[in-house]
Amino acid sequence: MQSYIEKAEKVFMHTYNRYQIVLDQGEGVYLYDVNGKKYLDFAAGIAVFALGYGNKEYRDALKLQIDQLLHTSNLFYNVPSIKAADKLLEASGMDRVFFTNSGAEAIEGAIKLARKYYYKKHGASDSQIIAMRHSFHGRSIGALSITGTKKYREPFEPLMGGVVFGEFNNLDNIKSLINNKTCAIVMEVIQGEGGLYPATEKFIKGVRELCDAHDILLIFDEIQCGMGRTGSMFAYQNYSVEPDIITCAKALGCGVPVGAFAAKEKAANAFAPGDHGTTYGGNPFATAAVNKVFELFDKMQILKKVNETAPYLHQKLEELTIKYKCIIDHRGVGLMQGLEFAFPVNEIIKKAMDKGLILISAGSNVLRFVPPLIIEKEHIDEMLVILEQCIVDSLP
Ligand SMILES: *Cc1c(COP(=O)(O)O)cnc(C)c1O
């Protein structure tokens, strides 16, 4: 394993501090490294592998599509993309979709759509977007421009203009930022990277009302919190509020790189042929994965499962929070939970990996729990035993 790691450090650009593990195989909720060591996975490739590893039906569907047709370009129609579009629109309540290859690209598309909507209405190119502090929307220039963490943005400035940042869950603050140039308000329904902060009902409903009153498009970034993670297909469905545009990725392909932005007709209509494009986006391979993911969500009753297991995880993490003074907050919804510690969690994560548990952080002090959605209570118990040992070992 060490030789792979040394080689990797020579060939890759230094954009990550990786954990010292070379992963090799997966089965269910477990991963194996190249030495055969087994890990219980509470990260799911950063909220991606909702269905767990090695699902036979999913793998078979991909193999079939590989043999049939991988790619067509968007100069032609292909059947898997049409079926996948139908399923995503049905699940989200949106009217039209554009498939991308990643989350960041979905965000780029959503930004372009909002700007085009404003441009069509006003014939002017001076639109503004309101984004949230502590948000995360991806690493491309447009996505970075609406990401509310200075550390990510600063080295790459000047970024895209026309962005102002407001305070998440502070309706008065957002209201004060609106002017007649505001074309969109963009937010994660549950801030992921920013530290597992759910939007309050009051905030989300209030922002929707502001958007309605001023003809502003509301964009929900569902890339991490969507696809069943909160117990609803999309997190906004927990609030009975609908956005005008959503972005989706991560678990949408359950391992195959694919994203999407989808919109209500009113917004989607702003695009005309030539306004946006992608070579790979929506190709038959990626969208065959999306199709199978939606099919399996149904067949395996993933939402029902999440609604059974998530309260258990929530309760157990709550108990830990009460028991250990070093845990200063517990936040999250469904199988997207976070524990905020009084100190950086990196040591806990490393100790957990030694003991065969994969956990990740969100920022420096928050442990993030985003397991595969097929997790069972017994896996949660197994995780808790290791986690508690690591907490005790890390106490200052
Ligand atoms: C991961 C993530 C993105 C970026 O997705 P990529 O596929 O990494 O480009 C955007 N928004 C949110 C909320 C995310 O969690």
Side-chain angles (χ1 to χ4, degrees):
M1 190 148 84
Q2 204 49 43
S3 66
Y4 283 121
I5 292 171
E6 277 161 25
K7 177 77 181 165
E9 288 306 322
K10 287 204 184 86
V11 296
F12 294 130
M13 293 195 191
H14 287 132
T15 56
Y16 290 103
N17 287 317
R18 287 176 220 264
Y19 299 111
Q20 301 296 295
I21 296 172
V22 185
L23 291 171
D24 188 46
Q25 279 185 58
E27 188 60 49
V29 296
Y30 293 97
L31 284 165
Y32 298 84
D33 68 19
V34 288
N35 293 338
K37 181 174 167 181
K38 184 179 178 182
Y39 302 86
L40 173 62
D41 179 25
F42 262 70
I46 318 187
V48 166
F49 246 99
L51 300 169
Y53 303 98
N55 181 290
K56 185 166 184 321
E57 221 178 294
Y58 172 79
R59 282 195 309 212
D60 288 346
L62 296 185
K63 286 175 193 167
L64 267 178
Q65 193 59 48
I66 286 172
D67 289 337
Q68 193 174 337
L69 187 63
L70 278 176
H71 181 75
T72 56
S73 88
N74 284 304
L75 302 177
F76 305 91
Y77 301 96
N78 75 74
V79 176
S81 70
I82 299 165
K83 290 185 176 165
D86 240 4
K87 293 197 172 97
L88 180 56
L89 295 178
E90 199 197 318
S92 64
M94 297 293 114
D95 296 318
R96 291 179 185 273
V97 60
F98 184 104
F99 285 110
T100 66
N101 310 292
S102 68
E105 282 170 84
I107 292 287
E108 297 290 332
I111 293 172
K112 280 183 70 178
L113 184 57
R115 283 188 159 185
K116 182 71 196 297
Y117 179 83
Y118 177 94
Y119 178 80
K120 230 178 118 184
K121 198 169 76 179
H122 298 277
S125 304
D126 57 355
S127 62
Q128 287 181 3
I129 293 175
I130 299 174
M132 303 296 147
R133 294 204 190 95
H134 308 295
S135 63
F136 180 86
H137 299 291
R139 304 302 197 131
S140 56
I141 293 289
L144 207 50
S145 305
I146 58 167
T147 288
T149 307
K150 206 167 166 215
K151 173 183 84 170
Y152 292 150
R153 284 203 320 267
E154 207 166 53
F156 306 102
E157 288 174 348
L159 296 173
M160 182 187 91
V163 180
V164 290
F165 287 97
E167 208 176 309
F168 191 56
N169 282 338
N170 182 339
L171 193 57
D172 287 337
N173 177 249
I174 300 305
K175 198 171 175 179
S176 74
L177 296 174
I178 291 175
N179 60 41
N180 56 12
K181 294 185 173 155
T182 308
C183 71
I185 297 178
V186 57
M187 69 167 101
E188 297 151 88
V189 179
I190 301 164
Q191 291 191 331
E193 306 297 314
L196 285 297
Y197 289 96
T200 61
E201 178 118 13
K202 178 169 172 270
F203 182 66
I204 225 163
K205 291 203 156 135
V207 171
R208 178 70 268 178
E209 280 165 20
L210 287 174
C211 287
D212 289 340
H214 299 271
D215 194 19
I216 294 166
L217 297 178
L218 179 54
I219 306 173
F220 284 160
D221 181 344
E222 288 267 350
I223 290 171
Q224 188 162 157
C225 58
M227 293 306 289
R229 188 151 289 282
T230 65
S232 298
M233 203 57 181
F234 293 99
Y236 62 83
Q237 291 163 340
N238 298 323
Y239 299 80
S240 36
V241 161
E242 274 201 318
D244 302 292
I245 305 175
I246 68 163
T247 59
C248 190
K250 289 198 164 87
L252 180 63
C254 277
V256 169
V258 57
F261 63 103
K264 289 287 193 186
E265 190 69 46
K266 171 181 112 164
N269 252 335
F271 270 167
D275 276 341
H276 199 49
T278 165
T279 300
Y280 270 131
N283 89 8
F285 181 67
T287 49
V290 174
N291 265 320
K292 196 39 100 175
V293 167
F294 276 111
E295 256 180 64
L296 288 170
F297 261 68
D298 248 5
K299 189 170 166 188
M300 294 162 72
Q301 300 194 294
I302 294 289
L303 298 182
K304 182 161 172 270
K305 239 180 140 35
V306 172
N307 286 312
E308 283 163 10
T309 46
Y312 186 70
L313 176 64
H314 190 276
Q315 178 205 326
K316 291 290 168 182
L317 293 179
E318 198 60 31
E319 285 169 20
L320 272 188
T321 309
I322 292 163
K323 186 164 173 190
Y324 292 98
K325 256 178 66 186
C326 63
I327 304 175
I328 56 180
D329 198 14
H330 168 215
R331 300 184 288 269
V333 183
L335 290 179
M336 185 172 177
Q337 300 277 330
L339 287 182
E340 182 173 345
F341 284 73
F343 47 77
V345 293
N346 220 12
E347 276 311 305
I348 295 182
I349 290 175
K350 281 187 187 147
K351 287 190 168 94
M353 284 184 193
D354 285 344
K355 295 183 198 293
L357 168 66
I358 294 184
L359 287 172
I360 54 175
S361 62
S364 78
N365 289 19
V366 179
L367 269 188
R368 169 166 38 168
F369 303 82
V370 285
L373 303 184
I374 58 162
I375 205 98
E376 303 279 355
K377 284 181 186 167
E378 71 203 50
H379 302 123
I380 294 171
D381 288 335
E382 187 184 340
M383 179 278 286
L384 287 161
V385 170
I386 301 175
L387 174 61
E388 192 160 359
Q389 285 169 6
C390 298
I391 293 173
V392 171
D393 288 353
S394 303
L395 289 177

